[in-house]
């Protein structure tokens, strides 16, 4: 017996030893390949002196006591980059083409910015500093808590992308971008990894919340405004994920098979607008393949289209660990590999030696990176203060969120009149979700939920409803995850407050003792997997019960019920929307979300948001649902690092490849073409006032259509209106959508009785379509209808314009 125990012990000790050795080996391997491989390139904090020669002050970066062209801020970036490049060794140039690994992201870098996910590496010999890259679309994602420090580094959680797009207000988005950029500048971040500009191809994409719209004109213009706002601070942006990254399932190797026409008109269009209207410092290529080619390795996409056709001048970086082949990526025009690994570095050095990576390609990419560095604030010797204007930004996020919330239904309920005591139903009412998970998340200081916001505004919370929630919360505590590990875990399992059953007895009591009910429905999703239909797109049985029973008890006493949707993506609404008296799509409104909702309920803000995507009746009404992964399979982290080429017959549909069979018929383009009923159409949203449209005039000159229209506030309160201009070609020889958004504008606040005359411009070339027979844009001649409306299904005025003699 003793011997047996001894033997078991021995085996156990051997196993333990093997385990410790494997872990140690694994750790050192990871460290040397992914965390700590920069060696002599690490910055050593050497001082760079400011000198003055002939009255010109400059930072003597290479310490040669002379003014080099690259040190001379009066010279153009082009000249400075050329000069710097000429001073670099071949090795130093190659070194620039990849980041320094995940050290900073994991909070391991001394002197870095914990939570920043990547770097552009320094060249200490020439005094070229290290730059930091950080997510993301809803605000700066850095770690708020740092080891051995008592102070915090919170960033503002701004509203999610879909909410921002629902404002249709490019001036406001510019302001939000400016505030985000200010936080980056303050915290020493040089490039924000955002905005997210992918198209909402299907409501289930797990990252739709980061993206703007199902329409490329809206998405492109909102993105450009955001980029211009961010970059007005002297920090860069990296719009992402270029291109056709519309699902999370198998995102690292999915092959999107898409027609050239859909590629051009839908998926590339928004990015084309971005490049032309904002020329961002950089751009992030996507993980997926397009028509069989990994995007980071596609010369057609990254060089021929992006640069030669559109004139992009900035840096293209990979998505994190994206691209299979480092050399092929640089050769295709993907200048920077992020976050960078030792293996990639070695591969580039080897290819350069063997001639597979031509010197000109190294120079081209290195020069683009150098231009970005030279244009950064760090090159001006800027010292960041770690003190962003958080208070001021809290106001900006509050106002922007209330401007993007969409009032979907309102039967004489809002704004509140004579409401004092409110029954808050549903756990999310007390735990607002500020934003989605993954890299689109922000480490913010607080999130204001509805309970707190209502109390702040002087409303009473119904005691019985509150008690029921508190008892539930005591048993199922809900806390937003914090810290690297917790946040990573939340990425795979988005946190969302758990609901509970409301008994009829409780609801009867609550209805008697309150004036109205507010039910909040919450949803959360994020990077790494797509949503599913059951209990996510659709309401759960418990939620349906909650809505139906609350409405029944409150309506029996002639009291009203509001449903607030605190969601990141489209949910089913058709089956239950007739029950409540009002529905407010609050989206995920950032850290001030609750306050923004109450500003609307209270009438302080007149809602003016409109849907940037369609709310369909059924998920299957979307043509893309025939070719979309519907099972919500979670991402396998290892697939980011190891890929296995499969043979033809091993390929799984919607995972290994996805057929974009719907072509250009995405969102309203499909619903209109098939004449399908929808729950709420693209461009829809209610206001507390009404607007009358008149005097539509469309004229053409210098290849541009000028559309002018008058909009009058005919109601009794002030409000803003979003005017949408669609183009339609009733008599057409080709297959084209019934109507397509071509321009939009939001008015300023119009007082009751006030009229605004707005002007919209549509370049004639925007009426063209991608003609696959000539592989180019083509303009049908003849007559077009310019339709101006309050939504895609509420066209108020239309005018024909003849473009008989026009060509591109
Ligand atoms: C995401 C990017 C993000 C990057 C860095 C990737 O997993 O797809 O959007 O910017 O991580 O966090």
């Amino acid at each position: 017996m003793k011997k047996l125990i001894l033997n078991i012990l021995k085996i156990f000790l051997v196993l333990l030893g093997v385990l410790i050795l494997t872990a140690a080996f694994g750790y050192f391997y990871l460290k040397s390949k992914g965390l700590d491989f920069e060696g002599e390139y690490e910055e050593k904090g050497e001082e760079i002196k400011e000198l003055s020669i002939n009255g010109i002050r400059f930072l003597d970066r290479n310490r040669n006591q002379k003014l080099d062209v690259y040190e001379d801020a009066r010279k153009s970036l082009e000249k400075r980059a050329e000069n710097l490049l000429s001073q670099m060794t071949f090795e130093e140039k190659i070194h620039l083409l990849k980041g320094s690994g995940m050290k900073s992201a994991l909070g391991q870098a001394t002197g870095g910015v914990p939570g920043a996910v990547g770097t552009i590496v320094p060249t200490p010999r020439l005094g070229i500093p290290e730059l930091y890259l950080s997510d993301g679309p809803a605000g700066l994602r850095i770690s708020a808590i740092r080891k051995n420090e008592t102070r915090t580094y919170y960033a503002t959680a701004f509203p999610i992308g879909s909410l921002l797009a629902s404002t249709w207000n490019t001036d406001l988005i510019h302001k939000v971008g400016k505030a985000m950029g200010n936080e980056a500048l303050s915290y020493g971040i040089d490039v924000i990894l955002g905005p997210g500009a992918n198209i909402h191809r299907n409501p289930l994409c797990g990252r739709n919340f980061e993206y703007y719209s199902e329409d490329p004109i809206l998405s492109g213009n909102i993105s450009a405004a955001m980029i211009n706002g961010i970059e007005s601070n002297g920090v860069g942006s990296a719009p992402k994920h270029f291109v056709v990254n519309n699902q999370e399932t198998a995102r690292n190797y999915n092959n999107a098979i898409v027609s050239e026409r859909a590629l051009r008109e839908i998926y590339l269009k928004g990015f084309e607008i971005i490049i032309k209207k904002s020329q961002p410092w950089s751009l992030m290529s996507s993980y997926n393949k397009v028509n069989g080619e990994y995007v980071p390795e596609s010369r057609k996409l990254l060089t021929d289209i992006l640069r030669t056709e559109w004139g992009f001048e900035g840096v293209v970086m990979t998505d994190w660990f994206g691209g299979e082949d480092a050399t092929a990526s640089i050769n295709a025009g993907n200048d920077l590999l992020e976050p960078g690994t030792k293996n990639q570095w070695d591969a580039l050095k080897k290819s350069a030696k063997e001639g597979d990576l031509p010197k000109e390609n190294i120079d081209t990419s290195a020069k683009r990176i150098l231009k970005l560095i030279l244009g950064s604030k760090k090159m001006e010797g800027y010292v960041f203060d770690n003190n962003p204007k958080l208070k001021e930004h809290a106001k900006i996020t509050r106002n922007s969120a209330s401007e993007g919330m969409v009032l979907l239904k309102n039967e004489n309920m809002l704004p509140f009149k004579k409401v004092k005591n409110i029954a808050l139903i549903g756990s999310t009412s007390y735990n607002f979700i500020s934003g989605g998970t993954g890299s689109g998340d922000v480490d913010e200081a607080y999130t204001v939920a509805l309970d707190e916001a209502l109390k702040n505004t002087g409303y009473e919370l119904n005691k019985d409803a509150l008690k029921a929630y508190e008892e539930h919360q005591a048993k199922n505590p809900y806390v937003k995850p914090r810290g690297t590990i917790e946040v990573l875990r939340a990425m795979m399992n988005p946190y969302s407050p758990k609901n509970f059953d409301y008994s009829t007895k409780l609801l009867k009591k609550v209805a008697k003792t309150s004036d109205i009910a507010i039910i909040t429905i919450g949803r959360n999703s994020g990077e790494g997997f797509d949503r599913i239909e059951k209990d996510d797109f659709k309401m759960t049985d418990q939620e349906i019960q909650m809505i139906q029973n609350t409405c029944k008890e409150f309506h029996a006493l002639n009291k009203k019920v509001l449903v607030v949707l605190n969601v990141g993506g489209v949910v089913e609404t058709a089956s239950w929307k007739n029950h409540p008296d009002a529905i407010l799509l609050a989206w995920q409104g950032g850290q001030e979300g609750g306050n923004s909702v109450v500003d609307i309920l209270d009438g302080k803000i007149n809602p003016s948001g409109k849907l940037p995507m369609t709310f369909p009746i059924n998920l299957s009404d979307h043509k893309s649902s025939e070719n979309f992964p519907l099972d919500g399979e979670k991402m396998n982290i290892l697939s980011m690092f190891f890929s296995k080429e499969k043979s033809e017959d091993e390929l799984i549909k919607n995972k290994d490849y996805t057929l974009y069979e719907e072509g250009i018929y995405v969102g309203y383009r499909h619903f209109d073409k098939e004449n399908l009923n929808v729950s709420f159409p693209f461009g829809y949203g209610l206001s507390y006032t009404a607007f009358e449209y008149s005097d539509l005039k469309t004229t053409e000159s210098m290849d541009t259509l000028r559309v002018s229209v008058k909009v009058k506030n005919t109601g009794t309160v002030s409000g803003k209106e979003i005017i949408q201009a669609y183009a339609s070609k009733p008599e057409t020889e080709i297959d084209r959508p019934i109507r397509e958004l071509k321009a939009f504008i939001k008015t300023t606040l119009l007082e009751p009785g006030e009229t605004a005359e707005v002007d919209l411009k549509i370049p004639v070339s925007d009426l063209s379509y991608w003609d696959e027979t000539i592989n180019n844009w083509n303009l049908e001649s003849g007559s077009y209808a310019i339709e101006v409306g309050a939504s895609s299904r509420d066209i108020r005025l239309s005018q024909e314009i003849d473009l008989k003699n026009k060509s591109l």
Side-chain angles (χ1 to χ4, degrees):
M1 185 66 179
K2 217 168 145 193
K3 212 169 159 192
L4 182 72
I5 295 180
L6 223 72
N7 278 340
I8 293 179
L9 204 68
K10 265 191 208 155
I11 295 174
F12 175 73
L13 284 176
V14 170
L15 283 178
L16 191 69
V18 171
L19 210 73
I20 292 174
L21 273 175
T22 319
F25 178 76
Y27 173 71
F28 285 115
Y29 182 81
L30 183 76
K31 197 158 158 7
S32 63
K33 298 288 181 191
L35 293 183
D36 205 355
F37 51 84
E38 284 290 288
E40 64 187 84
Y41 283 102
E42 295 245 3
E43 273 183 322
K44 293 172 196 73
E46 282 171 50
E47 199 199 341
I48 293 175
K49 293 214 174 79
E50 195 180 51
L51 299 186
S52 177
I53 295 181
N54 298 336
I56 300 156
R57 299 186 76 78
F58 67 99
L59 290 164
D60 183 26
R61 295 192 165 271
N62 57 5
R63 303 165 198 94
N64 67 352
Q65 317 274 320
K66 283 193 222 139
L67 172 61
D68 291 81
V69 174
Y70 85 89
E71 292 165 342
D72 189 347
R74 299 167 310 165
K75 298 272 174 358
S76 72
L77 283 183
E78 181 70 28
K79 286 253 153 12
R80 293 173 71 193
E82 255 166 35
N83 175 257
L84 183 51
L85 197 68
S86 71
Q87 299 201 26
M88 288 178 102
T89 65
F90 195 53
E91 282 70 31
E92 281 169 342
K93 292 180 198 170
I94 296 180
H95 172 247
L96 261 188
L97 308 180
K98 74 327 136 255
S100 61
M102 289 293 278
K103 204 161 150 186
S104 155
L106 300 175
Q108 308 271 315
T110 34
V113 183
V117 280
T119 56
I120 295 181
V121 290
T123 310
R125 187 179 68 82
L126 297 166
I128 301 304
E130 179 160 32
L131 300 196
Y132 281 89
L133 322 175
S134 201
D135 290 301
L140 200 66
R141 188 168 72 104
I142 56 167
S143 310
I145 314 285
R146 293 186 188 172
K147 246 197 252 158
N148 308 326
E149 284 194 50
T150 46
R151 67 149 293 184
T152 51
Y153 295 81
Y154 286 115
T156 305
F158 291 95
I160 57 165
S162 302
L163 183 152
L164 292 175
S166 307
T167 66
W168 299 60
N169 185 341
T170 48
D171 291 343
L172 182 93
I173 301 305
H174 188 280
K175 229 187 193 171
V176 173
K178 195 167 167 202
M180 274 187 202
N182 167 270
E183 295 193 10
L185 188 63
S186 241
Y187 280 139
I189 298 293
D190 304 281
V191 179
I192 292 186
L193 305 174
N198 292 105
I199 291 290
H200 290 177
R201 170 177 178 248
N202 188 276
L204 295 190
C205 172
R207 291 182 83 172
N208 274 354
F209 74 94
E210 295 182 52
Y211 308 146
Y212 292 133
S213 173
E214 68 187 22
D215 181 87
I217 301 288
L218 182 57
S219 176
N221 282 289
I222 296 287
S223 300
M226 174 62 87
I227 293 162
N228 287 330
I230 292 174
E231 296 197 348
S232 66
N233 292 279
V235 299
S237 66
K240 61 192 187 185
H241 309 88
F242 182 81
V243 61
V244 208
N245 181 179
N246 307 106
Q247 65 180 63
E248 284 300 283
T249 309
R251 67 170 182 176
N252 292 87
Y253 52 92
N254 177 262
N255 180 19
I257 301 175
V258 55
S259 72
E260 190 66 21
R261 181 167 180 206
L263 192 58
R264 294 286 184 157
E265 291 184 25
I266 306 292
Y267 298 103
L268 287 172
K269 191 74 200 171
F271 284 100
E272 184 179 351
I273 296 171
I274 289 177
I275 302 305
K276 293 188 173 155
K277 294 201 170 171
S278 63
Q279 190 61 265
W281 287 22
S282 63
L283 182 102
M284 190 188 291
S285 57
S286 59
Y287 288 120
N288 53 286
K289 295 176 186 169
V290 172
N291 297 327
E293 200 172 26
Y294 277 109
V295 174
E297 296 167 18
S298 168
R299 199 167 169 83
K300 167 183 163 180
L301 290 168
L302 301 186
T303 296
D304 300 346
I305 296 181
L306 185 63
R307 290 181 161 117
T308 313
E309 277 186 37
W310 301 347
F312 178 57
E313 291 167 4
V315 169
V316 175
M317 67 179 81
T318 58
D319 196 345
W320 265 231
F321 303 104
E324 282 266 286
D325 179 337
T327 304
S329 301
I330 305 295
N331 282 338
N334 192 115
D335 314 297
L336 178 60
L337 311 173
E338 283 297 339
T341 64
K342 177 77 169 47
N343 289 351
Q344 287 173 331
W345 190 7
D346 291 342
L348 294 182
K349 283 193 270 192
K350 185 162 174 272
S351 302
K353 211 158 138 202
E354 291 171 359
D356 296 331
L357 182 57
K359 188 177 162 301
E360 311 78 74
N361 292 359
I362 298 174
D363 279 354
T364 305
S365 288
K367 190 168 155 196
R368 288 185 190 131
I369 297 170
L370 291 177
K371 268 171 120 175
L372 189 152
I373 301 175
L374 288 164
S376 74
K377 284 274 183 188
K378 289 226 171 97
M379 282 301 289
E380 293 171 16
Y382 168 82
V383 183
F384 52 93
D385 61 0
N386 276 325
N387 192 19
K389 303 174 189 148
L390 294 179
K391 283 227 167 80
E392 211 178 279
H393 299 167
K395 281 188 205 139
I396 294 179
T397 183
R398 179 173 179 164
N399 292 340
S400 58
S402 58
E403 182 147 344
M405 293 179 176
V406 186
L407 185 59
L408 296 176
K409 175 177 179 180
N410 185 18
E411 285 179 356
N412 298 320
M413 182 175 185
L414 301 174
F416 288 157
K417 294 157 223 101
K418 295 197 198 129
V419 170
K420 233 178 124 189
N421 188 293
I422 298 177
L424 270 187
I425 308 288
S427 297
T428 316
S429 295
Y430 303 86
N431 293 292
F432 248 40
I433 302 167
S434 55
T437 60
S439 56
D441 200 3
V442 178
D443 203 352
E444 72 273 32
Y446 62 86
T447 299
V448 178
L450 256 189
D451 55 342
E452 188 186 336
L454 287 168
K455 279 190 286 181
N456 289 346
T457 321
Y459 292 99
E460 272 169 28
L461 298 188
N462 182 270
K463 285 204 181 66
D464 297 307
L466 179 62
K467 191 164 153 241
Y469 161 72
E470 282 172 347
E471 282 171 8
H472 160 79
Q473 168 75 0
K475 282 186 242 140
N476 304 278
Y478 166 80
V479 230
K480 184 174 172 178
R482 291 222 182 269
T484 316
I485 301 294
E486 278 305 292
V487 166
L488 279 177
R489 195 177 301 151
M491 215 173 126
M492 288 297 139
N493 258 318
Y495 49 93
S496 195
K498 261 205 169 81
N499 256 320
F500 57 100
D501 292 330
Y502 282 83
S503 68
T504 310
K505 192 170 152 216
L506 174 65
L507 287 175
K508 276 194 193 308
K509 193 167 167 201
V510 168
K512 240 185 248 157
T513 50
S514 57
D515 299 321
I516 57 148
I518 302 180
I519 304 170
T520 307
I521 301 293
R523 287 288 181 277
N524 207 354
S525 74
E527 199 175 336
F529 62 97
D530 296 306
R531 297 168 58 210
I532 53 173
E533 183 173 24
K534 186 172 183 302
D535 296 346
D536 189 346
F537 174 75
K538 286 190 174 167
M539 297 292 124
T540 65
D541 291 344
Q542 193 179 42
E543 286 164 340
I544 290 289
Q545 291 295 317
M546 193 160 80
I547 295 173
Q548 280 178 353
N549 296 346
T550 309
C551 289
K552 187 166 158 224
E553 299 308 331
F554 275 74
H555 289 166
L557 301 180
N558 263 328
K559 294 180 180 175
K560 302 214 176 238
V561 178
L562 161 73
V563 171
V564 172
L565 296 173
N566 180 204
V567 299
V570 174
V571 290
E572 190 275 327
T573 47
S575 70
W576 57 268
K577 68 179 181 186
N578 57 332
H579 294 295
D581 305 273
I583 306 173
L584 178 70
L585 173 59
W587 291 120
Q588 293 167 341
Q591 67 187 43
E592 290 280 333
N595 282 333
S596 310
V597 169
V598 175
D599 287 343
I600 290 176
L601 305 186
D602 207 32
K604 195 171 135 206
I605 301 279
N606 183 354
S608 63
K610 293 193 181 189
L611 293 178
M613 78 294 280
T614 310
F615 270 51
I617 294 179
N618 305 297
L619 180 67
S620 56
D621 293 344
H622 268 280
K623 177 84 177 136
S624 62
S625 292
E626 290 168 19
N627 290 288
F628 192 87
L630 300 173
D631 54 2
E633 186 184 293
K634 301 220 158 129
M635 183 178 96
N636 175 352
I637 289 276
L638 293 181
S639 72
M640 274 176 95
F641 309 103
F642 307 105
S643 80
K644 188 174 132 278
E645 279 303 317
K646 292 182 177 169
S647 63
E648 267 311 288
D649 53 340
E650 279 179 315
L651 300 179
I652 303 170
K653 185 171 183 272
N654 298 335
K655 228 181 123 174
D656 294 300
Y657 66 95
T658 302
L659 299 172
Y660 282 48
E661 275 174 344
E662 71 284 356
I664 56 170
Y665 291 104
V666 176
Y668 68 90
R669 287 170 168 80
H670 167 65
F671 295 109
D672 288 353
K673 187 80 174 179
E674 297 302 318
N675 209 1
L676 287 172
N677 281 334
V678 297
S679 189
F680 298 108
F682 175 82
Y684 167 88
L686 300 173
S687 162
Y688 295 155
T689 186
F691 297 95
E692 194 182 87
Y693 289 50
S694 68
D695 297 309
L696 171 64
K697 269 191 223 96
T698 307
T699 50
E700 193 264 326
S701 83
M702 316 262 288
D703 295 330
T704 300
L705 301 186
R706 196 175 148 218
V707 181
S708 80
V709 66
K710 285 188 180 156
V711 180
K712 181 175 181 190
N713 180 351
T714 56
T716 53
V717 289
S718 56
K720 298 180 184 177
E721 172 69 327
I722 295 160
I723 297 115
Q724 303 158 38
Y726 296 84
S728 159
K729 180 106 184 53
E731 275 172 35
T732 172
E733 308 261 292
I734 58 155
D735 176 21
R736 59 194 303 163
I738 303 293
R739 65 178 54 83
E740 292 182 279
L741 184 74
K742 293 296 169 194
F744 62 89
I745 194 166
K746 191 166 197 171
T747 65
T748 51
L749 199 68
L750 297 180
E751 295 304 322
E754 192 180 342
T755 300
E757 182 163 359
V758 298
D759 272 322
L760 300 123
K761 288 197 181 69
I762 305 174
V764 170
S765 57
D766 279 5
L767 303 178
S768 59
Y769 68 99
W770 184 262
D771 186 342
E772 291 183 342
T773 62
I774 56 165
N775 206 25
N776 209 338
W777 294 101
N778 202 350
L779 183 73
E780 268 195 290
S781 73
S783 164
Y784 288 77
I786 299 301
E787 304 176 326
V788 172
S791 91
S792 63
R793 296 232 166 149
D794 183 8
I795 300 298
R796 304 282 179 87
L797 301 165
S798 173
Q799 196 181 10
E800 297 238 329
I801 179 127
D802 201 347
L803 298 180
K804 224 186 333 230
N805 302 318
K806 283 270 151 204
S807 61
L808 285 179

